[in-house]
Amino acid sequence: MSLKKFSELFVDLDSSNSTNNKIEVLKNYFLSNDPIDNSWAIYLLTGKSNKRFISGRYLKNLFSQIYEYPEWLIDTCYLKVGDSAEVITLLLKNKSTSRKKILSNISLNELLSKTIPDLSKLNEEEKNFKIFIFFHGFKHNLYFKIRLKFQ
Amino acid sequence: LRTKQEDLIKYNDGSLYCELADVWIDPSKPVKKALITHAHFDHFTFGCEEYISTKETAILLKERVGDNIKIKTFEYGEEFKIKGINISFHPSGHILGSCQIRFIFAEEKWLISGDFKLQKDETCKQYEIVKTDYLISECTFGLPIFKWDESNKIANDISKWITNSPEKTSLLFCYSLGKAQRLLNEISQTNYKGNIYSHGSIHKMNNIYRELGIDIKDTIKIENKKKIDELKGSLILLPPSLSKGSYLKNFKNIQTAFASGWMSIRALRKRSGYDKGFAISDHADWDGILEVLKKSEAKNVFFHHGDSEALSKYLVEKESINVLFLGQ
């Protein structure tokens, strides 16, 4: 099942302090998913992680470059939030113009065993461009403008 | 070069003070004459000789301070003079009756934003753009991580949160004045059509809002806390002070949430101890603050309330706006 579904699972788990509720939410999720995606969900929720293909610092620098935000401002946000990924997510709310989330229908398995590891095979320019597309969603009329930015 | 001594409005004892008019703005200690931007507890104090505010704020203030205070009221946009200084109130969009205060002296305009927001809120007047030379702005949420969703989206999320747990009573904590009424107004426009109960402090404010012509849904006043467990599928609005201490320990079948801009940050959400957080605020977000700064055309900006260091640095670096510090 999709990344969107996993994201909903996370929000649901995060919306309750009751262990019984969380068990119920997990049960429903596992019953409606492929075994391979369930395995990835368990892997992520138990705090395991793959080799890091992109560091928090790399994402921050790239974000700063794309959206012309001073790095010190992103660092100040980090002091308030305490998590690099969350900072980028919150900052993107200010920047994302497309509501279409291109990765929402990708399976966890494809995302974690292919899409993200494949980033490391790309040269820096291609990698940055791909991450931008992930950040921004995809919009045809923006495509060429963005492409130019990374050349 | 301008010196701090020349500033029309300064800090004095932690509050904003206009020496020429001998008038204080939202003072934290009893003074002779106090201009009040709105009726939240951190914006006024008991025991001032005279209060000056909008009509709505005066009614709310009397409810909170008592009927026997001396209070003078002015309409939005109506100019009045104190010791030769022209002063006027303008809507700030924060809560019912809230205002920005403009001072004009010797053709120099000063504007105190008060707490403000630009977002839609049918329970109070929309923020009015006021042009000024000097702007003293709040910046409670002065970082770009703060970007509010539309309030009807949050209301729909709240509606889903209640209806997805029909076996539980949903307790939504929010400030009694302003936030509670805005939420009621928004929630009544969603698919949630169940009962809404409210704590006495919120109920009292709801009645004042209604008397002042604001359309908000009827709520049932919570008289007996023992009943809360029995109100499955219903929504109860409570003030945040009740989430502390033993109040919640009396109930089993409940889910709790807090409605505040700070709930947009996960760490704060988790630390708050509520099951869920809804990020809705009566203060401007980052874009809102920037918009007001630009549209006010202020050449000089001061910040008051909130952590302004990052915003000040950003404005100087990226927007070339002159940020100053208020003199004492």
Side-chain angles (χ1 to χ4, degrees):
Chain A
M1 285 293 253
S2 64
L3 176 60
K4 182 166 182 262
K5 195 123 187 262
F6 181 73
S7 143
E8 287 165 359
L9 167 73
F10 190 84
V11 170
D12 288 345
L13 288 173
D14 211 33
S15 300
S16 175
N17 293 326
S18 152
T19 307
N20 285 341
N21 278 357
K22 290 183 185 186
I23 291 171
E24 192 61 29
V25 166
L26 282 169
K27 193 177 90 184
N28 292 337
Y29 178 82
F30 289 141
L31 285 173
S32 64
N33 262 323
D34 302 334
I36 184 77
D37 264 17
N38 281 343
S39 315
W40 278 116
I42 293 167
Y43 184 83
L44 291 173
L45 291 172
T46 51
K48 301 276 192 300
S49 59
N50 258 331
K51 179 189 163 209
R52 211 181 252 205
F53 296 103
I54 310 273
S55 70
R57 176 150 295 276
Y58 191 96
L59 280 184
K60 184 186 80 178
N61 293 345
L62 187 60
F63 187 93
S64 164
Q65 184 194 328
I66 294 170
Y67 296 107
E68 292 164 4
Y69 259 76
E71 283 193 33
W72 63 260
L73 186 55
I74 304 177
D75 288 336
T76 309
C77 293
Y78 177 82
L79 292 177
K80 197 93 187 169
V81 174
D83 183 275
S84 310
E86 191 181 344
V87 169
I88 299 285
T89 308
L90 290 169
L91 290 175
L92 276 172
K93 279 184 85 178
N94 248 329
K95 292 292 170 191
S96 189
T97 53
S98 164
R99 295 194 61 79
K100 192 177 171 193
K101 302 284 181 280
I102 55 159
L103 287 177
S104 64
N105 290 321
I106 197 172
S107 74
L108 273 190
N109 184 41
E110 195 185 341
L111 177 76
L112 295 164
S113 61
K114 188 166 187 326
T115 311
I116 293 178
D118 278 358
L119 287 175
S120 58
K121 296 177 192 159
L122 302 172
N123 66 35
E124 194 174 325
E125 210 174 87
E126 288 296 331
K127 182 158 70 179
N128 290 352
F129 179 65
K130 192 114 190 184
I131 294 171
F132 177 82
I133 296 294
F134 293 164
F135 275 168
H136 211 73
F138 187 82
K139 223 177 175 188
H140 280 288
N141 57 350
L142 271 179
Y143 182 86
F144 293 104
K145 257 195 245 170
I146 297 158
R147 194 79 207 177
L148 283 172
K149 195 163 185 157
F150 287 98
Q151 280 172 359
Chain B
L1 260 178
R2 185 181 185 85
T3 66
K4 285 180 177 175
Q5 283 71 38
E6 288 172 334
D7 288 345
L8 183 64
I9 293 159
K10 301 175 186 181
Y11 267 126
N12 194 337
D13 221 1
S15 298
L16 296 172
Y17 176 60
C18 176
E19 194 175 356
L20 286 179
D22 191 20
V23 67
W24 298 73
I25 300 95
D26 293 349
S28 53
K29 287 177 186 164
V31 295
K32 218 159 84 184
K33 211 183 269 284
L35 293 166
I36 305 296
T37 60
H38 64 285
H40 277 151
F41 278 118
D42 56 335
H43 286 263
F44 67 86
T45 188
F46 295 76
C48 294
E49 283 179 32
E50 184 185 11
Y51 297 87
I52 304 168
S53 73
T54 62
K55 185 185 79 184
E56 295 86 347
T57 297
I59 291 167
L60 292 161
L61 216 55
K62 280 187 175 177
E63 179 59 45
R64 302 194 132 183
V65 183
D67 263 340
N68 53 355
I69 56 169
K70 183 181 170 194
I71 188 157
K72 201 183 271 180
T73 64
F74 293 95
E75 298 289 332
Y76 287 117
E78 180 184 355
E79 282 200 357
F80 55 98
K81 271 187 199 255
I82 301 179
K83 295 192 176 177
I85 296 188
N86 282 311
I87 301 173
S88 53
F89 297 141
H90 303 268
S92 79
H94 180 58
I95 62 166
L96 183 62
S98 68
C99 68
Q100 313 169 65
I101 306 178
R102 187 175 68 180
F103 293 73
I104 305 180
F105 179 68
E107 292 181 10
E108 192 173 89
K109 291 179 193 143
W110 283 69
L111 182 70
I112 298 171
S113 74
D115 288 351
F116 70 92
K117 72 169 177 291
L118 305 185
Q119 266 197 316
K120 174 192 154 228
D121 181 348
E122 291 171 355
T123 66
C124 66
K125 280 204 157 66
Q126 176 77 20
Y127 183 93
E128 178 190 323
I129 297 290
V130 181
K131 305 272 163 72
T132 185
D133 302 310
Y134 294 84
L135 173 64
I136 301 174
S137 170
E138 68 130 332
C139 72
T140 308
F141 292 102
L143 282 174
I145 45 174
F146 297 111
K147 167 78 178 169
W148 310 140
D149 286 324
E150 297 295 328
S151 42
N152 60 346
K153 183 200 174 289
I154 301 291
N156 283 326
D157 289 347
I158 294 172
S159 162
K160 271 185 221 152
W161 173 68
I162 307 163
T163 48
N164 285 347
S165 298
E167 292 305 307
K168 289 183 176 174
T169 308
S170 298
L171 309 187
L172 179 58
F173 291 84
C174 54
Y175 296 115
S176 309
L177 169 59
K179 183 68 68 63
Q181 292 73 35
R182 182 183 179 200
L183 287 170
L184 275 173
N185 175 274
E186 287 287 352
I187 292 168
S188 63
Q189 297 174 47
T190 68
N191 292 330
Y192 177 70
K193 300 297 172 209
N195 284 331
I196 303 181
Y197 296 79
S198 63
H199 182 263
S201 60
I202 294 172
H203 198 74
K204 204 192 295 178
M205 293 302 151
N206 293 348
N207 289 338
I208 297 177
Y209 265 59
R210 266 187 226 105
E211 282 162 22
L212 287 167
I214 307 298
D215 180 25
I216 45 173
K217 192 179 158 66
D218 264 337
T219 60
I220 307 158
K221 186 176 169 187
I222 278 285
E223 301 280 4
N224 182 353
K225 68 178 184 184
K226 283 180 189 157
K227 271 171 61 182
I228 284 182
D229 261 338
E230 297 161 20
L231 304 175
K232 287 176 189 170
S234 299
L235 171 66
I236 304 183
L237 299 181
L238 295 168
S241 55
L242 285 183
S243 69
K244 316 276 186 306
S246 60
Y247 187 79
L248 291 180
K249 288 182 186 152
N250 298 308
F251 318 120
K252 283 181 182 158
N253 290 318
I254 57 165
Q255 56 176 357
T256 61
F258 185 35
S260 158
W262 298 111
M263 294 295 100
S264 57
I265 296 177
R266 184 169 183 269
L268 299 182
R269 223 157 47 225
K270 292 284 108 183
R271 209 179 301 153
S272 71
Y274 299 97
D275 288 314
K276 197 164 176 67
F278 294 105
I280 180 165
S281 177
D282 289 328
H283 294 269
D285 59 12
W286 170 264
D287 281 349
I289 298 173
L290 292 183
E291 187 179 334
V292 162
L293 296 186
K294 283 178 193 164
K295 290 192 173 163
S296 75
E297 295 175 6
K299 290 164 203 79
N300 301 283
V301 174
F302 306 86
F303 288 112
H304 172 63
H305 282 303
D307 183 7
S308 59
E309 204 178 317
L311 180 59
S312 305
K313 191 172 168 189
Y314 180 83
L315 290 172
V316 172
E317 271 185 20
K318 302 284 276 187
E319 310 282 346
S320 303
I321 290 178
N322 197 21
V323 182
L324 304 168
F325 297 95
L326 278 176
Q328 294 287 333

